[in-house]
Amino acid sequence: MLEKEKLQRINALAAKKKAGSIEKDELEELKGLREEYLKNFRSSFRKQVENTKVVDPEGNDVTPEKLKRIQEEKNTRD
């Protein structure tokens, strides 16, 4: 997870960019921080999806086969 300080820095730089007062080095910093944020977000979201089990109203496991295979490969499937 991205540290609170980094998220605050992303927001501060984004505000400067929107105001039109951002410098070139700050723009590069913003780009790098955003890439790091997206990398962490995607990783976290992937883990969450890979640990999901889909159950219909009758209680039947209807998890997609592709997801079941991934879960079995990672030994997270019951």
Side-chain angles (χ1 to χ4, degrees):
M1 186 169 168
L2 217 58
E3 299 93 33
K4 187 177 181 179
E5 295 83 22
K6 286 187 179 181
L7 288 174
Q8 289 173 340
R9 182 67 177 155
I10 289 171
N11 290 332
L13 291 171
K16 281 185 85 170
K17 182 179 178 185
K18 186 175 183 180
S21 61
I22 195 166
E23 296 180 14
K24 186 177 180 182
D25 60 329
E26 291 174 324
L27 198 56
E28 290 298 317
E29 180 185 1
L30 178 60
K31 181 180 176 187
L33 288 170
R34 283 182 172 166
E35 287 174 6
E36 183 180 351
Y37 172 81
L38 288 173
K39 180 181 174 185
N40 287 334
F41 175 83
R42 288 178 182 129
S43 174
S44 175
F45 188 75
R46 180 179 300 274
K47 287 176 186 175
Q48 183 178 354
V49 170
E50 288 175 352
N51 288 311
T52 300
K53 181 176 182 179
V54 183
V55 180
D56 69 10
E58 287 82 36
N60 301 314
D61 183 359
V62 292
T63 305
E65 291 301 319
K66 182 177 180 180
L67 183 54
K68 286 181 183 178
R69 283 193 308 273
I70 292 170
Q71 291 169 343
E72 288 169 359
E73 289 170 6
K74 295 186 177 203
N75 294 321
T76 58
R77 186 92 182 139
D78 301 336

